[in-house]
Amino acid sequence: GHSFGPNPSPRIVMMGLRRGGKSSICQVMFHNMQPLDTLYIESTTAPTTSVFSSFIDFAVMELPGQINFTEAMIDAERIFSSCGALIYVIDSQDEYINSLANLHSIILHAVNANPNINIEVFIHKVDGLSEDFRLDAQRDITQRVTDELLDDGLVNVSISFHLTSIFDHSIYEAFSRVVQKLIPQLATLENLLNVLCQHSGIEKAFLFDIGSKIFVATDSSPMDIPTYEICTDFIDITVDMNNIYAVDRRPKPVTRNDANTNNGTVNIANQLESIPQGRPIGSTSRLSNGVILYLQQMVKGLALVCLMRKESMPKIALVEYNIEFFRDALEQLWLIG
Ligand code: GDP
């Protein structure tokens, strides 16, 4: 997948009991694995750290799920002190009482090491629960966790709960929310997007991290999930098309050896690696309902994805002119930030 950042200091740590879904989440989010293929992932047995060099460098550290932890926690405390968020994954399809006990002690360690850390609880695998059960589980877990923290007199812990599944876009949305809280320039980014939309006839604009499809910011108009899904699909299509026609990414002729190791298929793995370095990607598409999708790569592996009405199409030159200003503003933001 992604290259290792120069600074391996983790920004996000992910923990949870074994079989909760941590490896699956990382594989789906950062290595483009198909959700069903996670059935064959080997469970985490030793602490592993993977660093994803995304637009904000962050690392996901997986600790094997265990209820008693001592040595691992000493390590973890050091990491908590330098990271922004702790994601704790709870398997909602399983008895979660053990998870809650584990989570509670982890929160105590985390807050002790870093009082400003954001605790982000992923109530995971909710694809297996009915709508009612999801909300019940969320209510029950929220209640239990916050009650315990109150009992400890911990009233200032920043803690949020998210319903997630790797089988839909909820995992991307939850991750986006987690990452957005760690971006100091978020308010500025949102303002820039608002201004861009107002002056260009854009209905909705997102700034996406291309590699992970986490959205880093969006304008303040209401957001719905189908819109978000269309945008992420559009990123996939654009990246795929870009790889097909990129001169230096043409699949090499399959030799006999390759054919043996790859079961005869041409392996175009790690396609995302070259994106931020290569020529910026971009594309425009018109949907059957008249909506125009527009994608332009900006700085740092980020892409601007916009939805416009077909009435904006004649003004596309103006839109692109405004987008250039937006790009300049982004560059300056990261020069000073
Ligand atoms: P880890 O030990 O926490 O890393 O857990 P794994 O990633 O190995 O996942 C354990 C099992 O849960 C695997 O069989 C996954 O296919 C499954 N799993 C992970 N995420 C989901 C999800 O969102 N929904 C469902 N139904 N199963 C999931």
Side-chain angles (χ1 to χ4, degrees):
H2 293 239
S3 53
F4 282 63
N7 174 14
S9 150
R11 303 289 308 275
I12 298 178
V13 182
M14 182 181 276
M15 296 174 86
L17 293 189
R18 195 177 209 157
R19 305 298 291 159
K22 301 178 297 298
S23 320
S24 306
I25 292 171
C26 293
Q27 289 299 326
V28 169
M29 294 278 309
F30 304 108
H31 299 286
N32 261 8
M33 183 183 274
Q34 291 302 310
L36 271 179
D37 291 340
T38 63
L39 280 172
Y40 311 108
I41 296 181
E42 292 207 13
S43 197
T44 323
T45 49
T48 53
T49 310
S50 2
V51 180
F52 304 104
S53 184
S54 178
F55 113 95
I56 57 168
D57 286 338
F58 65 94
V60 176
M61 182 170 159
E62 292 192 76
L63 289 166
Q66 52 204 172
I67 299 172
N68 295 310
F69 46 90
T70 40
E71 276 169 45
M73 266 346 265
I74 297 170
D75 237 15
E77 285 215 2
R78 187 178 46 79
I79 291 157
F80 290 146
S81 64
S82 66
C83 82
L86 162 69
I87 295 177
Y88 189 88
V89 181
I90 296 179
D91 182 348
S92 69
Q93 295 188 14
D94 201 16
E95 271 299 327
Y96 50 71
I97 295 299
N98 286 341
S99 265
L100 293 185
N102 181 246
L103 168 63
H104 182 68
S105 33
I106 288 175
I107 293 178
L108 297 186
H109 284 278
V111 172
N112 184 40
N114 177 1
N116 297 320
I117 197 166
N118 294 331
I119 312 285
E120 309 280 358
V121 182
F122 282 12
I123 303 169
H124 192 55
K125 306 192 192 178
V126 291
D127 51 276
L129 306 183
S130 72
E131 192 67 30
D132 283 354
F133 264 79
R134 288 178 194 195
L135 296 178
D136 280 352
Q138 182 169 24
R139 205 174 300 126
D140 188 46
I141 291 173
T142 308
Q143 186 80 47
R144 286 169 191 262
V145 174
T146 45
D147 279 356
E148 278 207 77
L149 290 178
L150 278 180
D151 287 348
D152 292 329
L154 289 173
V155 285
N156 288 324
V157 179
S158 151
I159 183 162
S160 315
F161 299 84
H162 314 257
L163 295 169
T164 58
S165 163
I166 53 171
F167 289 96
D168 57 35
H169 287 74
S170 57
I171 191 66
Y172 295 96
E173 217 206 324
F175 238 103
S176 299
R177 301 284 177 211
V178 170
V179 169
Q180 284 170 19
K181 285 188 203 166
L182 303 179
I183 303 173
Q185 305 94 334
L186 183 64
T188 314
L189 285 176
E190 287 172 347
N191 275 332
L192 286 172
L193 287 166
N194 282 338
V195 171
L196 176 69
C197 289
Q198 282 157 19
H199 292 88
S200 316
I202 293 172
E203 305 241 299
K204 186 77 192 152
F206 293 93
L207 199 57
F208 271 97
D209 177 45
I210 301 172
S212 60
K213 282 172 279 172
I214 285 171
F215 77 94
V216 167
T218 182
D219 68 292
S220 53
S221 68
M223 182 192 121
D224 54 42
I225 295 294
T227 305
Y228 171 71
E229 289 176 356
I230 287 172
C231 291
T232 56
D233 289 347
F234 192 50
I235 294 174
D236 281 340
I237 293 168
T238 307
V239 168
D240 285 351
M241 292 292 280
N242 186 66
N243 285 332
I244 291 173
Y245 293 107
V247 183
D248 53 341
R249 302 293 293 179
R250 260 194 311 237
K252 296 189 184 70
V254 184
T255 65
R256 185 189 275 270
N257 278 343
D258 290 339
N260 283 343
T261 49
N262 297 331
N263 298 328
T265 58
V266 182
N267 186 10
I268 318 179
N270 296 335
Q271 46 179 317
L272 292 174
E273 247 166 14
S274 65
I275 290 172
Q277 291 85 29
R279 251 171 20 103
I281 59 170
S283 64
T284 311
S285 181
R286 185 173 162 174
L287 307 182
S288 54
N289 62 0
V291 171
I292 312 282
L293 284 171
Y294 183 92
L295 185 154
Q296 267 297 317
Q297 185 174 350
M298 303 278 120
V299 288
K300 296 202 176 209
L302 293 175
L304 176 72
V305 184
C306 304
L307 280 92
M308 295 178 263
R309 286 186 188 284
K310 59 176 180 294
E311 289 76 29
S312 303
M313 211 48 197
K315 298 186 300 183
I316 195 74
L318 170 72
V319 175
E320 295 199 314
Y321 185 75
N322 287 339
I323 287 176
E324 281 314 307
F325 274 102
F326 178 75
R327 186 202 304 272
D328 286 350
L330 276 188
E331 273 166 10
Q332 282 174 27
L333 199 60
W334 268 287
L335 276 180
I336 56 170

